[in-house]
């Protein structure tokens, strides 16, 4: 089966999750990847949405974190102060999926502004849950399309810290943190190391043994496509 | 003791120019109708507080109701940016907008401290990121272990406004589903307004519900559909098409202004 770069990215990100994980999920690509993991190899992975749904099991892909089905299918629905204090801060969530507008070589993320804070070129939505997700979970996974505008030498604003960023999955390949520096470890089928290098705004560290990402299986692709067509009306 | 009044009366009585006003509802039960009433009554110079300013705050900001925004994530959920919010921050249109920016965890702790009538909240957060210099946060040491923690000053709005599913005839309120930070908003605020889908003879207990006794609320107003285009669990679903349409309506200043004229200013007050 043929597949797109975005599909490869979602499938590869879903493979990071295991049955033992409790995962904090945002809307967009992370939600797609996490729900795909639940439908394929990690049906027992617990999904937590910051709106308060703990252990949500949506049958369709939610359009917003407030989607009613998240509350209807959750193990528990909690208030926002409880979510951040008793669940996230207390260490009950071990994986966090984050996106951003910019990332640097240490995995620090910017989702606040492009340009100067006081007189920004682009005002972005802001950090939301990300600053404390990035410092409270054990493993942070980032999903971000790889371009020189997004993979920058110097962030315009550090919204969240990169210390716990273990892996970054892009539309070109996968990076892992090695000695605090994001290092290219896999490229997706059809992508070269030079492609990844050219899409990075810093001198990209390359692992000695860069492998090719395992292409999506038929089961993975079918599950992904059925999820994508299921977005609730 | 909650008085049952119309929304227009509640806003006229309890909200004044220059007030700090929090409208809460975390993706669910968003008090959209109350936000429209603030616009219709032409309130000015407000400090608007909300963890997740979305479409209704985009409208208030675009109409120049706000002097300052206290928030932790400002976007059109599932769609993208808020264009009126961006225009205000990037180009000071229609007026400059001062920002006090938090993380969700920090702002939730600040609401909880306000609800408890404590001067500050404590959390493990704001760890060496650039938000620290843009928000109100201080480092403190735990007096028992010495652990370094973050302190955030309590949020104490003049007025807290929320939307709930039901109230009874004594003004007791019940909301359920995703209940967000609404309980803390009412307790942290000096005055409070609750709009409800319906007023019923008796509140039937619901799993996971938040119940607010009428005597902690100032005004209850029956506003069916008061959360639209957001959703009200058990009553109606989210109007996803509107959120997508808002991206187009709000991009252009004139289109935005005409939309507000037609759908808010000339709309019959509830």
């Amino acid at each position: 089966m043929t597949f797109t770069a975005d599909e490869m990215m979602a499938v590869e990100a879903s493979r990071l999750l295991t049955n033992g994980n409790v995962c904090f999920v945002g809307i967009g690509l992370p939600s797609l990847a996490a729900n795909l993991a639940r439908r394929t190899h990690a049906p027992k992975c617990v999904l937590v949405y910051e709106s308060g749904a703990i252990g949500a099991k949506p049958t369709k892909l939610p359009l917003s974190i407030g989607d009613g089905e998240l509350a209807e299918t959750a193990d528990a629905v909690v208030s926002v102060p409880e979510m951040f204090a008793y669940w996230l801060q207390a260490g009950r969530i071990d994986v966090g999926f984050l996106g951003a507008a910019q990332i640097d070589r240490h995995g620090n993320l910017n989702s606040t502004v492009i340009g100067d804070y006081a007189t920004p070129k682009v005002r972005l939505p802001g950090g939301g849950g990300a600053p404390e997700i990035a410092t409270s979970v054990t493993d942070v996974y980032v999903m971000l399309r790889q371009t020189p505008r997004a993979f920058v030498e110097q962030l315009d604003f550090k919204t969240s810290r990169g210390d716990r960023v273990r892996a970054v999955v892009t539309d070109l390949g996968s990076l892992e943190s090695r000695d605090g520096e994001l290092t290219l470890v896999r490229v997706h089928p059809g992508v070269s190391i030079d492609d990844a290098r050219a899409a990075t705004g810093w001198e990209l560290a390359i692992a000695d043994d860069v492998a090719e990402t395992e292409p999506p299986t038929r089961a993975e692709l079918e599950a992904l496509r059925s999820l994508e067509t299921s977005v609730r009306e | 003791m909650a008085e049952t009044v119309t929304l227009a009366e509640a806003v006229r009585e309890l909200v004044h120019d220059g007030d700090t006003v929090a409208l809460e509802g975390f993706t669910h039960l968003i008090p959209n109708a109350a936000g429209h009433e603030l616009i219709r009554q032409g309130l000015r110079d407000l400090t608007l507080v909300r963890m997740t300013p979305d479409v209704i705050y985009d409208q208030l900001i675009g109409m120049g109701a706000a002097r300052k925004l206290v928030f932790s994530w400002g976007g059109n959920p599932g769609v993208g940016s808020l264009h009126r919010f961006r225009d205000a921050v990037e180009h000071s249109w229609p007026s400059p907008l001062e920002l006090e920016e938090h993380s969700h965890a920090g702002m939730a702790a600040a609401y909880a401290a306000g609800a408890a009538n404590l001067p500050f909240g404590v959390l493990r957060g704001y760890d060496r990121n650039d938000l620290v210099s843009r928000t109100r946060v201080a480092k403190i040491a735990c007096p028992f272990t010495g652990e370094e923690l973050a302190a955030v000053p309590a949020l104490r709005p003049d007025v807290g406004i929320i939307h709930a599913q039901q109230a009874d005839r004594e003004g007791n309120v019940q909301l359920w589903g995703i209940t967000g930070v609404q309980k803390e908003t009412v307790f942290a605020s000096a005055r409070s307004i609750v709009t409800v889908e319906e007023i019923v003879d008796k509140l039937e207990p619901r799993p996971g519900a938040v119940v607010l006794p009428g005597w902690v609320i100032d005004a209850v107003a029956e506003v069916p559909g008061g959360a639209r285009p957001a959703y009200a669990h058990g009553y109606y679903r989210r109007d996803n098409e509107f959120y997508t349409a808002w991206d187009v309506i709000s991009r252009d200043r004139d289109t935005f202004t005409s939309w507000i004229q037609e759908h808010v200013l000339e709309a019959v007050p509830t």
Side-chain angles (χ1 to χ4, degrees), chain A residues 27 50-53 63-72 77-81 84 88-90 111-112 116-132 135-136 155-161 163 232-233, chain B residues 26-28 51 71-75 77-81 85-86 89-90 99-106 108-109 111-112 122-131 133-134 177-181 184 208 231 233 237-238 240-241:
Chain A
I27 287 299
E50 70 184 5
S51 50
L63 194 87
S64 116
I65 54 164
D67 198 296
E69 190 168 285
L70 297 177
E72 285 158 18
V77 180
V78 303
S79 73
V80 170
F84 283 95
L88 181 64
Q89 178 173 265
S111 54
T112 304
D116 176 62
Y117 184 87
T119 52
K121 188 157 155 267
V122 181
R123 174 64 229 198
L124 302 164
E132 281 74 27
T135 55
S136 302
L155 296 180
D156 290 355
F157 191 95
K158 183 160 71 180
T159 310
S160 68
R161 295 177 56 77
D163 315 48
R232 291 168 69 117
E233 291 302 313
Chain B
F26 203 88
T27 73
H28 170 225
M51 291 185 70
F71 76 113
S72 43
W73 186 89
V79 179
S81 287
F85 164 59
R86 278 190 57 183
V89 175
E90 295 168 17
L99 297 183
E100 181 184 317
E101 182 161 2
H102 299 260
S103 65
H104 280 346
Y111 264 126
V122 175
L123 71 155
R124 233 177 249 121
Y126 292 110
D127 183 13
R128 292 163 292 161
N129 58 42
D130 290 345
L131 268 176
S133 60
R134 298 291 172 182
I178 290 171
T179 56
V181 73
E184 288 75 15
Y231 79 106
H233 199 109
R237 299 172 70 144
R238 188 176 190 261
N240 286 331
E241 281 176 19

Side-chain angles (χ1 to χ4, degrees), chain B residues 78-225:
Chain B
V79 179
S81 287
L82 292 179
H83 301 294
R84 294 301 95 221
F85 164 59
R86 278 190 57 183
D87 205 11
V89 175
E90 295 168 17
H91 308 113
S92 296
W93 191 91
S95 46
L97 184 67
E98 187 186 335
L99 297 183
E100 181 184 317
E101 182 161 2
H102 299 260
S103 65
H104 280 346
M107 195 151 166
Y111 264 126
N117 194 20
L118 284 169
F120 65 89
V122 175
L123 71 155
R124 233 177 249 121
Y126 292 110
D127 183 13
R128 292 163 292 161
N129 58 42
D130 290 345
L131 268 176
V132 173
S133 60
R134 298 291 172 182
T135 194
R136 300 174 70 205
V137 61
K139 285 179 189 170
I140 57 165
C142 168
F144 305 103
T145 65
E147 181 184 355
E148 188 178 275
L149 298 161
V152 289
L155 267 170
R156 303 307 302 266
D158 297 309
V159 192
I161 303 177
I162 66 166
H163 184 73
Q165 282 99 337
Q166 295 180 342
D168 66 15
R169 300 195 189 282
E170 278 68 57
N172 302 305
V173 163
Q174 182 169 236
L175 57 144
W176 64 92
I178 290 171
T179 56
V181 73
Q182 285 97 306
K183 184 190 221 173
E184 288 75 15
T185 302
V186 167
F187 280 102
S189 301
R191 305 185 290 281
S192 57
I193 298 171
V194 182
T195 57
V196 294
E197 285 299 319
E198 60 175 336
I199 292 177
V200 297
D201 291 327
K202 189 174 186 316
L203 296 175
E204 298 295 338
R206 304 273 179 166
V210 167
V211 176
L212 297 166
W215 52 270
V216 304
I217 300 162
D218 291 286
V220 169
E222 190 177 32
V223 186

